Amino acid sequence: MIVLGIETSCDETAAAIVTLDKRILANVIHTQVDDHQPYGGVVPEIAARNHLAYLDRVIQKALMEAAIHIDQIDAIAVTAGPGLIGGVMVGVMAAKVIAASLAKPFVAVNHLEGHALTARLSNNVEFPFLLMLMSGGHCQILMVSGVGHYEVLGQTIDDAAGEAFDKVAKSLDLDYPGGPQVEKLALQGDPKRFVLPRPLKGRGGCDFSFAGLKTAARNIIMAGEVQTDQDKADLCAGFQEAVKDCLVDRLKNALAMISIEFSTVVLAGGVAANQYLRSALTEVCQSAHKEFVAPPLKLCTDNAVMIAWAGIEQLRLGKSSPLDFQPRPRWPLSELKGN
Ligand code: KG4
Ligand code: ZN
């Protein structure tokens, strides 16, 4: 089985071709970062127009990379939500047209399920597993017990972790997306110089909160305490350290809360690209005798490989979607129907 995956829910226009036996034949990503950088965040209207302009070329490039003809595609999987709806509609319409013209199955994929199932493609992770989903728009801890089976143990009550990285970076006049910039500067910084809060740390449950931490970092900047490159590095290090402490605390709580048997903790979403956070979470898992898995960096940030793979996971359970499936701007994992 060869599946074409399409991803257009944020600022990456992506197409990928993946096989049932886990071969990635193509992984093409056209990033729009430069178009959104002047605004310090993704502008939905610009994103949607760019997806329209680039998607057909991105799909053609994927077919060329895989060295296959479009007739050899067995099914089309596309992000149908959650995300910026203009962009999602562009991808969904393209996928529906290709599926209809080839008379092949169409699979509407939840973007978060794409992130969630990536580790099964990259690391052969078995169900059930604990998932920390940390991206620009989402921040959740979930128990994943099967395709479509997600139990949310906790989530952010305000900003997502990636969003907090991006907003602090913006306050420091760093380029968008902020996560990688903050991580890089933090390497030269003193994490103890600025005193920052650890929201919800020490409390029960697995919810997250990053708004207070972000505001505290901003207040330090507004007070004029961050002038030199070293000041910036120190603030980045302090902020990253605080995020790390929150994630570690929440993961420990989640591990203590779960009663079912499982062996693996997966970190997914764009924030999983952060090596400092990865190593801290790895340590927690080692002490709890759990395996820690984070997919390769290029599969952690938004891509279409994960969408093609989530499509394959559904198809091999005999599932696909009707061509009148409506794109969903909001689509919590807890609303997916399992088997
Ligand atoms: O999963 P993703 O590519 O897109 C969403 O679905 O949101 O995640 C993007 C987010 C951005 O907020 C970005 O700043 C963050 O992931 N990110 C990072 C790092 N690389 C990307 N955050 C912290 N450290 C990083 N190295
Ligand atoms: Zn994402």
Side-chain angles (χ1 to χ4, degrees), residues 132-141 154-170 176-180 182-183 199 206-215 217 236 239-248 250 267-274 277-278 281:
M132 295 184 84
L133 180 54
M134 303 285 148
S135 71
H138 302 277
C139 187
Q140 301 183 324
I141 298 193
Q155 55 196 326
T156 184
I157 55 173
D158 41 55
D159 290 352
E163 188 182 356
F165 269 96
D166 293 338
K167 287 180 175 168
V168 168
K170 191 176 178 185
Y176 174 84
V182 172
E183 181 181 13
C206 305
D207 283 344
F208 298 90
S209 168
F210 293 107
L213 170 58
K214 169 197 73 188
T215 306
C236 288
F239 169 77
Q240 185 174 255
E241 185 73 17
V243 172
K244 180 211 79 179
D245 286 347
C246 295
L247 297 189
V248 163
R250 307 286 91 188
L267 178 64
V271 179
N274 187 299
L277 300 179
R278 276 188 192 219
L281 298 173

Side-chain angles (χ1 to χ4, degrees), residues 189 194 200 211 251 282-283 293 296 301-303 309 319 333 337:
F194 294 110
L200 300 183
L251 175 57
T282 304
E283 272 177 37
V293 166
T301 46
D302 284 352
N303 66 85
W309 175 251
K319 293 171 43 164
L333 278 176
K337 294 189 180 54

Side-chain angles (χ1 to χ4, degrees), residues 227-241:
Q227 302 291 342
T228 65
D229 286 350
Q230 189 57 51
D231 296 339
K232 277 192 179 184
D234 290 344
L235 188 80
C236 288
F239 169 77
Q240 185 174 255
E241 185 73 17

Side-chain angles (χ1 to χ4, degrees), residues 116-270:
L117 300 177
T118 303
R120 287 171 49 75
L121 167 71
S122 59
N123 299 70
N124 298 315
V125 171
E126 301 280 349
F127 296 125
F129 59 89
L130 184 70
L131 172 70
M132 295 184 84
L133 180 54
M134 303 285 148
S135 71
H138 302 277
C139 187
Q140 301 183 324
I141 298 193
L142 306 135
M143 198 67 214
V144 183
S145 44
V147 178
H149 286 271
Y150 301 91
E151 184 196 346
V152 180
L153 302 174
Q155 55 196 326
T156 184
I157 55 173
D158 41 55
D159 290 352
E163 188 182 356
F165 269 96
D166 293 338
K167 287 180 175 168
V168 168
K170 191 176 178 185
S171 307
L172 287 171
D173 287 329
L174 300 174
D175 284 346
Y176 174 84
Q181 318 285 334
V182 172
E183 181 181 13
K184 201 166 143 212
L185 281 180
L187 289 172
Q188 320 294 332
D190 170 10
K192 296 207 174 73
R193 173 162 160 218
F194 294 110
V195 179
L196 289 161
R198 270 79 172 145
L200 300 183
K201 183 169 177 253
R203 302 227 202 132
C206 305
D207 283 344
F208 298 90
S209 168
F210 293 107
L213 170 58
K214 169 197 73 188
T215 306
R218 266 190 187 159
N219 288 345
I220 292 171
I221 298 164
M222 299 294 277
E225 288 184 55
V226 182
Q227 302 291 342
T228 65
D229 286 350
Q230 189 57 51
D231 296 339
K232 277 192 179 184
D234 290 344
L235 188 80
C236 288
F239 169 77
Q240 185 174 255
E241 185 73 17
V243 172
K244 180 211 79 179
D245 286 347
C246 295
L247 297 189
V248 163
D249 183 72
R250 307 286 91 188
L251 175 57
K252 283 182 178 166
N253 280 4
L255 291 170
M257 272 164 70
I258 298 162
S259 52
I260 63 166
E261 283 290 314
F262 73 101
S263 56
T264 311
V265 176
V266 174
L267 178 64

Side-chain angles (χ1 to χ4, degrees), residues 40-56:
V42 179
V43 183
E45 173 82 18
I46 295 175
R49 285 171 187 266
N50 280 341
H51 289 308
L52 202 54
Y54 291 109
L55 184 57
D56 60 339

Side-chain angles (χ1 to χ4, degrees), residues 15-26:
I17 298 171
V18 180
T19 66
L20 177 63
D21 59 355
K22 303 190 175 179
R23 282 178 298 134
I24 299 170
L25 303 184

